[in-house]
Each structure stands twice: as structure tokens, then as C-alpha cells.
Amino acid sequence: MALALYGALFALAALAVIIPRARWPIAGFLIIMMAFCLADQTRWQPWVFQYSFLLMVVGLARGGSAAPADDLQTLNLARLVIVFTYVFSGLQKINLNFMEHEFSWIITPITSLFPAMATPLDALGFLVPFVQVAFAVGLLTRRFRRASLVVAVGMHVFILAMFGPLGLNWNDIVWPWTAAMAVFDVLLFSGTDDFIWRDIVWNVRDLRHGAAVALFVVLPVLSFFNLWDSYLSSALYSGNLTEAQIYLSDLGAASTPDNVRPYLVHTSENTNVLNLQRWAIEDLNVTPYAETRIFKIIAGDLCRALPDSNQLVLVVKEQRLFFSRPEIGFRCSQL
């Protein structure tokens, strides 16, 4: 059944490209995507969320005599999604974890070749969040749009270089999304359309606009207080995420399923650590969905595989812009 639905996604996507005003193929595609996402929250990745909404916006576009005006509004809605993805991606990075650690890891391909550049490049990590917010706002203006577009596309080229096969060679599922974002930037912000910021952020007559503002402007603010999911708020690789490790005794490690054991690292006497990010990347080719409820479900499944549930502890740390929580440990009885 899953394979049939997976194949249907490609068929519906092809139809959506071929058929003008392809509402029904898009609707079918989104229904299948929703079913997949409801079955597994790990599929709630940022690009799935963004692409699905953009497809919905296109699918709900009107035809007929209203098409030209509606097409312009559709483009403006796409611009709103892209701009506020950048805004919140920048805001999420305003934390020491990104500035001191995450960015230093991202630029490892450069600093490993040129160690002398490590200190000045690390200092850029403190500027990156503010530069990202600045060019996002600049895309809304006529005066700074071209310069902001150059910076935005340059950022994606840089990310591809760092994460790509000649760099970290890490998480290749984000490579096409990064490239697509650069293409979106060029298509949406380099044309001759004479739009201003108000055309993008304010349109009370379009229900699609209200949905876009709710999902990409309002709800992401709640993520700063841990009231909305981080991956739905442009926090990927921001350092502003929930992190978790599973600790097992030697007896617990020996009792884990065969497919889990290769990911365990023996760190000290009677202590073994399961790195959930490594496990997810190598097994699913995506980073784990960074929410405490997901990590508790994963740990709970492992608990049920152990003959002695006292051999496992889940440790979670929730990093947010406001009200970050210290590390919390969960035993199997709490999962």
C-alpha cells in the first residue's frame, strides 16, 4: 500500500506539471502527503512543510478572468513564505550554541584546510543571524532587493559547498532544498514585478494569505517559547533545537535490537550512548524530528525491547530563544 501511494505521488506530480490549473492532481498529491506525515512525524521536515503549503497555494488559485490578478497574489504569497522562512531562520540562530559551535562545525571544510582562518571565520558566526534577517527584510524593498538577492543566493551556494560532497558530505537530503531555495529567490525577486512590502504582508481579502501569515509569521514566534515545533519554524541547523541522547548500561546495550546496536558508543565503564542524530541520518537520511515527544516515543520503544527497563535513561535538553530548559532525564517508567 505504501509503495502504491509513493508511486502515486510521482504520477500526480507529473500530471500537475502537464495539466493547466491542476487542482485535482495537486489535491491528490497533498492528501497522500498528509497521510504519510500523519503516519510518521519524522516526515514533518521543513521542506515538506514549505513545499506542501506552496502547492496548496497554487492549487487553490482561481482560473478564468481572475487568473492574472490571482497569479500575482500567488507569487506574493510565495514571496511571503520565502521571506519569513529567512527571517525566522535568522532569529532562531541568535543563540550561543549556533554562534560558538554550530557555525564552527559548518565551516569545518574551510578551517580544516586553512587553520589560520578559524578565528576570523568563527567570529562571523555572531553576524550570520543578523545578516540573514537583514537580507530577508531587504527582499521586501525596492532599494535593497537586488543586493539582498545576491546575498541570499550566495548563502545557498555557500551552504551547498559546506554540506556537499566536497565539504562535510552531510545530510544530502537538504542539498536539493537548498538549491531550490536559490531558484525560488531568483524566480520571485529578480523579475520585473513592481511590488512593495505591503503587497506581500497585507491582504485581508485572501484566505490563503491568512493561512500563510498564521503558519509562517505567527506560529513560528511561539516556537521561541517552546509552544510550536521548531522544524515548522525554520530552526534547522540553528542550534536552537531540542537535543537528546539515550544512555544504556552494558546489559541494556547488549539487549538492544540488532539494527540499533551499531549506533551505540561505549563512552565509559557501564555507559553506552545512542546518538539519535547519527542513527536518524544513517538509517533515514534525515535529522530526527527535534521534539521531546518524539524522543520519548523512540526511547519508549527501546524500553519495551529491554528485559530490565532500569538499564535505559533518556536525557533531553530543550534549547529555545526564551525559556530554554535544562537537561531532563526520563526513565522507562516515565515514557
Side-chain angles (χ1 to χ4, degrees):
M1 181 64 177
L3 286 176
L5 290 175
Y6 185 65
L9 286 176
F10 289 91
L12 291 167
L15 286 174
V17 172
I18 297 170
I19 301 174
R21 303 289 173 187
R23 288 187 175 187
W24 292 115
I26 290 175
F29 185 96
L30 291 175
I31 289 170
I32 294 174
M33 282 300 303
M34 185 179 296
F36 275 133
C37 288
L38 290 175
D40 186 352
Q41 292 182 62
T42 302
R43 296 186 176 114
W44 297 10
Q45 296 291 323
W47 52 89
V48 175
F49 178 58
Q50 185 190 81
Y51 291 164
S52 297
F53 184 82
L54 290 175
L55 274 174
M56 184 199 73
V57 166
V58 172
L60 292 177
R62 292 170 294 179
S65 60
D70 196 64
D71 286 346
L72 180 59
Q73 178 57 18
T74 298
L75 289 175
N76 284 336
L77 284 168
R79 290 172 179 133
L80 183 148
V81 170
I82 298 303
V83 164
F84 281 94
T85 295
Y86 288 140
V87 167
F88 283 100
S89 179
L91 293 175
Q92 297 281 7
K93 293 181 177 71
I94 303 176
N95 65 85
L96 290 178
N97 192 32
F98 173 82
M99 296 174 178
E100 295 182 344
H101 303 294
E102 195 81 16
F103 185 73
S104 295
W105 170 73
I106 291 172
I107 61 173
T108 300
I110 299 174
T111 56
S112 61
L113 290 175
F114 306 102
M117 296 182 64
T119 299
L121 285 178
D122 284 345
L124 289 177
F126 290 85
L127 297 177
V128 167
F130 305 101
V131 170
Q132 194 165 352
V133 173
F135 77 65
V137 175
L139 289 172
L140 295 174
T141 69
R142 291 170 174 163
R143 181 175 181 180
F144 299 106
R145 185 170 299 145
R146 181 164 296 182
S148 297
L149 175 61
V150 171
V151 176
V153 173
M155 180 190 72
H156 291 298
V157 172
F158 173 78
I159 293 171
L160 282 172
M162 294 300 100
F163 281 78
L166 299 179
L168 294 167
N169 196 26
W170 175 261
N171 199 192
D172 56 19
I173 196 68
V174 304
W175 302 353
W177 183 42
T178 301
M181 286 291 286
V183 173
F184 289 157
D185 291 339
V186 173
L187 292 176
L188 294 171
F189 297 100
S190 67
T192 58
D193 292 344
D194 188 23
F195 61 90
I196 59 176
W197 67 268
R198 192 178 293 105
D199 298 329
I200 295 173
V201 302
W202 186 256
N203 187 336
V204 296
R205 293 174 296 178
D206 193 328
L207 291 177
R208 297 176 302 165
H209 185 272
V213 170
L215 292 173
F216 292 90
V217 182
V218 177
L219 289 174
V221 174
L222 300 182
S223 73
F224 297 147
F225 304 91
N226 206 12
L227 297 173
W228 183 249
D229 286 1
S230 297
Y231 272 15
L232 306 183
S233 308
S234 306
L236 185 65
Y237 293 115
S238 68
N240 210 30
L241 292 167
T242 297
E243 299 176 350
Q245 302 277 10
I246 293 176
Y247 293 84
L248 295 125
S249 66
D250 290 343
L251 177 61
S255 303
T256 55
D258 292 340
N259 64 321
V260 175
R261 211 167 297 143
Y263 304 107
L264 291 169
V265 177
H266 185 76
T267 57
S268 60
E269 183 180 354
N270 202 32
T271 302
N272 302 270
V273 179
L274 177 58
N275 186 310
L276 294 176
Q277 184 174 53
R278 179 188 167 210
W279 183 15
I281 286 287
E282 294 188 15
D283 198 34
L284 301 173
N285 200 32
V286 293
T287 53
Y289 196 74
E291 297 297 330
T292 298
R293 67 177 186 275
I294 304 301
F295 295 134
K296 291 176 73 174
I297 292 171
I298 295 170
D301 287 342
L302 283 178
C303 284
R304 286 185 281 275
L306 303 179
D308 182 358
S309 61
N310 292 319
Q311 306 301 314
L312 180 149
V313 175
L314 169 69
V315 176
V316 176
K317 182 178 180 181
E318 297 179 343
Q319 173 77 27
R320 296 294 185 272
L321 189 60
F322 305 108
F323 305 118
S324 295
R325 298 176 184 174
E327 287 187 344
I328 303 174
F330 299 93
R331 293 197 173 274
C332 288
S333 59
Q334 299 170 293
L335 301 173

